[in-house]
Amino acid sequence: MTKAMYPGSFDPITVGHLDIIQRAAGMFDELIIAIMKNPKKRATFSEEERKWLIEQCVKELNNVRVIIGSGLTVSTAEQNGCRVLIRGIRAVADYEYELQQATANMMLNERIETVFLVSRPEYSFLSSSVAKEIASYNGDISGFIPKEIIEEVKKELIPPQSLSKPE
Ligand code: ADP
Protein backbone atom coordinates (compact mmCIF):
# COMPACT_ATOMS: atom_id res chain seq x y z
CA MET A 1 0.00 0.00 0.00
CA THR A 2 1.51 3.33 -1.03
CA LYS A 3 0.60 6.35 1.01
CA ALA A 4 1.34 9.84 -0.24
CA MET A 5 1.34 13.19 1.52
CA TYR A 6 0.49 16.53 -0.08
CA PRO A 7 2.04 19.23 2.12
CA GLY A 8 1.28 22.93 1.71
CA SER A 9 -0.04 26.12 3.26
CA PHE A 10 -3.54 25.85 1.68
CA ASP A 11 -4.36 29.37 2.92
CA PRO A 12 -7.06 28.79 1.69
CA ILE A 13 -7.44 25.73 -0.56
CA THR A 14 -8.05 26.70 -4.21
CA VAL A 15 -9.53 24.79 -7.16
CA GLY A 16 -5.92 24.31 -8.33
CA HIS A 17 -5.02 22.52 -5.06
CA LEU A 18 -8.24 20.49 -5.27
CA ASP A 19 -7.41 19.33 -8.78
CA ILE A 20 -3.98 18.09 -7.58
CA ILE A 21 -5.71 16.34 -4.62
CA GLN A 22 -8.22 14.56 -6.90
CA ARG A 23 -5.50 13.43 -9.29
CA ALA A 24 -3.14 12.25 -6.52
CA ALA A 25 -5.98 10.45 -4.71
CA GLY A 26 -6.46 8.41 -7.90
CA MET A 27 -2.78 7.47 -8.01
CA PHE A 28 -2.16 6.34 -4.42
CA ASP A 29 -3.94 4.09 -1.92
CA GLU A 30 -4.12 6.88 0.63
CA LEU A 31 -3.48 10.61 0.43
CA ILE A 32 -2.81 12.72 3.50
CA ILE A 33 -3.08 16.46 3.06
CA ALA A 34 -0.73 18.09 5.55
CA ILE A 35 -1.14 21.73 6.49
CA MET A 36 2.39 22.93 7.11
CA LYS A 37 3.84 26.23 8.29
CA ASN A 38 5.64 28.18 5.59
CA PRO A 39 7.95 30.64 7.38
CA LYS A 40 7.92 32.86 4.26
CA LYS A 41 4.14 33.39 4.43
CA ARG A 42 1.89 35.03 7.02
CA ALA A 43 -1.27 32.96 7.26
CA THR A 44 -4.74 34.49 6.85
CA PHE A 45 -6.67 31.44 8.11
CA SER A 46 -5.74 29.49 11.25
CA GLU A 47 -4.52 25.92 10.80
CA GLU A 48 -7.82 24.59 12.20
CA GLU A 49 -9.84 26.77 9.79
CA ARG A 50 -7.74 25.59 6.84
CA LYS A 51 -8.21 21.96 7.91
CA TRP A 52 -11.99 22.43 8.14
CA LEU A 53 -12.13 24.20 4.75
CA ILE A 54 -10.21 21.37 3.04
CA GLU A 55 -12.39 18.74 4.73
CA GLN A 56 -15.52 20.33 3.26
CA CYS A 57 -14.02 19.88 -0.24
CA VAL A 58 -12.77 16.27 0.04
CA LYS A 59 -15.83 14.60 1.61
CA GLU A 60 -16.37 12.46 -1.51
CA LEU A 61 -12.78 11.21 -1.60
CA ASN A 62 -12.70 8.37 0.89
CA ASN A 63 -8.93 7.74 0.73
CA VAL A 64 -8.08 11.34 1.65
CA ARG A 65 -7.61 12.80 5.12
CA VAL A 66 -6.34 16.13 6.41
CA ILE A 67 -3.82 16.70 9.20
CA ILE A 68 -1.99 19.65 10.71
CA GLY A 69 1.72 18.90 10.42
CA SER A 70 4.57 20.25 12.50
CA GLY A 71 8.32 20.39 12.21
CA LEU A 72 10.01 19.09 9.10
CA THR A 73 7.82 17.95 6.20
CA VAL A 74 9.81 14.69 5.86
CA SER A 75 9.33 13.96 9.58
CA THR A 76 5.55 14.49 9.30
CA ALA A 77 5.56 12.20 6.24
CA GLU A 78 7.56 9.49 7.99
CA GLN A 79 5.42 9.68 11.16
CA ASN A 80 2.35 9.12 8.99
CA GLY A 81 3.86 6.27 6.98
CA CYS A 82 4.07 8.25 3.73
CA ARG A 83 6.87 7.45 1.28
CA VAL A 84 5.80 9.97 -1.35
CA LEU A 85 5.45 13.75 -1.22
CA ILE A 86 3.18 15.39 -3.80
CA ARG A 87 3.84 18.93 -5.01
CA GLY A 88 2.29 20.91 -7.83
CA ILE A 89 4.19 22.81 -10.51
CA ARG A 90 2.36 25.69 -12.19
CA ALA A 91 5.07 27.42 -14.17
CA VAL A 92 8.81 27.75 -14.49
CA ALA A 93 8.68 30.17 -11.55
CA ASP A 94 7.65 27.30 -9.23
CA TYR A 95 10.37 25.01 -10.52
CA GLU A 96 13.42 26.50 -8.83
CA TYR A 97 11.80 26.68 -5.38
CA GLU A 98 10.24 23.22 -5.68
CA LEU A 99 13.52 21.69 -6.85
CA GLN A 100 15.34 23.25 -3.89
CA GLN A 101 12.74 21.93 -1.41
CA ALA A 102 12.68 18.45 -2.98
CA THR A 103 16.48 18.23 -2.97
CA ALA A 104 16.67 19.35 0.67
CA ASN A 105 14.02 16.77 1.58
CA MET A 106 15.96 14.09 -0.30
CA MET A 107 19.10 14.98 1.67
CA LEU A 108 17.16 14.82 4.93
CA ASN A 109 15.44 11.52 4.17
CA GLU A 110 16.32 9.53 1.08
CA ARG A 111 13.52 7.02 1.63
CA ILE A 112 10.97 9.70 0.71
CA GLU A 113 10.41 10.63 -2.95
CA THR A 114 8.85 13.85 -4.22
CA VAL A 115 6.41 13.47 -7.12
CA PHE A 116 5.47 16.58 -9.09
CA LEU A 117 2.09 16.95 -10.74
CA VAL A 118 1.85 19.60 -13.43
CA SER A 119 -0.99 22.08 -13.01
CA ARG A 120 -3.85 22.04 -15.48
CA PRO A 121 -3.35 25.00 -17.85
CA GLU A 122 -6.57 26.66 -16.65
CA TYR A 123 -5.23 26.71 -13.06
CA SER A 124 -1.61 27.58 -13.81
CA PHE A 125 -2.06 31.25 -12.84
CA LEU A 126 -3.94 30.41 -9.67
CA SER A 127 -2.69 30.73 -6.09
CA SER A 128 -4.20 31.34 -2.67
CA SER A 129 -2.63 34.80 -2.65
CA VAL A 130 -4.19 35.76 -6.01
CA ALA A 131 -7.61 34.65 -4.70
CA LYS A 132 -7.09 36.65 -1.49
CA GLU A 133 -6.04 39.76 -3.37
CA ILE A 134 -9.08 39.63 -5.66
CA ALA A 135 -11.39 39.04 -2.66
CA SER A 136 -9.89 42.03 -0.83
CA TYR A 137 -11.19 44.22 -3.70
CA ASN A 138 -14.56 42.47 -3.53
CA GLY A 139 -13.84 40.73 -6.86
CA ASP A 140 -15.48 37.47 -7.96
CA ILE A 141 -13.49 34.49 -6.63
CA SER A 142 -15.95 31.80 -7.74
CA GLY A 143 -13.48 30.49 -10.35
CA PHE A 144 -10.72 30.25 -7.75
CA ILE A 145 -12.17 28.75 -4.59
CA PRO A 146 -14.08 25.42 -4.43
CA LYS A 147 -17.88 25.96 -4.41
CA GLU A 148 -18.25 24.00 -1.13
CA ILE A 149 -16.46 26.74 0.85
CA ILE A 150 -16.91 29.88 -1.18
CA GLU A 151 -19.31 31.60 1.27
CA GLU A 152 -17.07 30.95 4.30
CA VAL A 153 -14.00 32.18 2.43
CA LYS A 154 -15.79 35.33 1.20
CA LYS A 155 -16.97 36.12 4.73
CA GLU A 156 -13.38 36.04 5.95
CA LEU A 157 -11.74 37.82 3.02
CA ILE A 158 -14.09 40.48 1.71
CA PRO A 159 -13.74 43.69 3.71
CA PRO A 160 -17.03 44.48 5.55
CA GLN A 161 -17.28 48.00 4.04
CA SER A 162 -17.46 46.43 0.52
CA LEU A 163 -20.46 44.32 1.53
CA SER A 164 -22.65 47.23 2.69
CA LYS A 165 -21.70 50.54 1.11
CA PRO A 166 -23.37 53.55 2.72
CA GLU A 167 -25.07 55.88 0.14
P1 ADP B 1 3.45 26.23 0.06
O1 ADP B 1 3.46 27.42 0.97
O2 ADP B 1 4.01 24.99 0.69
O3 ADP B 1 4.04 26.48 -1.30
P2 ADP B 1 0.83 26.28 -1.21
O4 ADP B 1 -0.49 26.02 -0.57
O5 ADP B 1 1.08 27.61 -1.78
O6 ADP B 1 1.89 25.86 -0.12
O7 ADP B 1 1.07 25.19 -2.36
C1 ADP B 1 1.14 23.82 -2.06
C2 ADP B 1 1.56 23.08 -3.32
O8 ADP B 1 0.52 23.16 -4.28
C3 ADP B 1 2.82 23.66 -4.02
O9 ADP B 1 3.56 22.59 -4.56
C4 ADP B 1 2.25 24.52 -5.11
O10 ADP B 1 3.15 24.63 -6.20
C5 ADP B 1 1.01 23.71 -5.48
N1 ADP B 1 -0.02 24.55 -6.07
C6 ADP B 1 -0.54 25.70 -5.62
N2 ADP B 1 -1.47 26.20 -6.45
C7 ADP B 1 -1.54 25.33 -7.48
C8 ADP B 1 -2.28 25.28 -8.71
N3 ADP B 1 -3.12 26.27 -9.05
N4 ADP B 1 -2.11 24.23 -9.53
C9 ADP B 1 -1.22 23.26 -9.20
N5 ADP B 1 -0.46 23.25 -8.09
C10 ADP B 1 -0.62 24.26 -7.25
Side-chain angles (χ1 to χ4, degrees), residues 25-110:
M27 293 167 66
F28 297 95
D29 297 303
E30 192 178 342
L31 179 70
I32 296 177
I33 304 168
I35 296 164
M36 304 298 299
K37 277 195 182 65
N38 182 337
K40 294 195 189 76
K41 298 179 182 170
R42 231 186 97 215
T44 305
F45 292 88
S46 72
E47 290 172 335
E48 287 72 21
E49 283 171 326
R50 285 180 266 162
K51 179 171 187 276
W52 184 86
L53 290 169
I54 300 172
E55 281 168 350
Q56 304 318 300
C57 305
V58 299
K59 280 184 179 163
E60 313 277 282
L61 302 169
N62 50 27
N63 63 339
V64 174
R65 75 189 161 89
V66 192
I67 63 166
I68 296 172
S70 62
L72 290 170
T73 300
V74 284
S75 309
T76 300
E78 185 120 81
Q79 280 154 19
N80 286 278
C82 298
R83 285 200 298 117
V84 175
L85 292 176
I86 303 290
R87 294 288 287 179
I89 301 259
R90 283 162 291 190
V92 178
D94 278 342
Y95 181 73
E96 198 175 340
Y97 173 74
E98 293 294 343
L99 184 67
Q100 205 175 53
Q101 294 292 313
T103 307
N105 286 335
M106 187 187 278
M107 289 168 72
L108 289 167
N109 187 333
E110 60 182 20

Side-chain angles (χ1 to χ4, degrees), residues 9-14 17 41-46 50 126-141 144-145 153-154 156-159:
S9 310
F10 307 107
D11 186 39
I13 182 173
T14 67
H17 290 130
K41 298 179 182 170
R42 231 186 97 215
T44 305
F45 292 88
S46 72
R50 285 180 266 162
L126 182 49
S127 65
S128 303
S129 22
V130 166
K132 286 190 278 193
E133 196 176 336
I134 294 173
S136 73
Y137 294 108
N138 199 16
D140 179 13
I141 52 166
F144 300 70
I145 300 297
V153 169
K154 273 194 203 160
E156 181 74 27
L157 293 181
I158 297 181

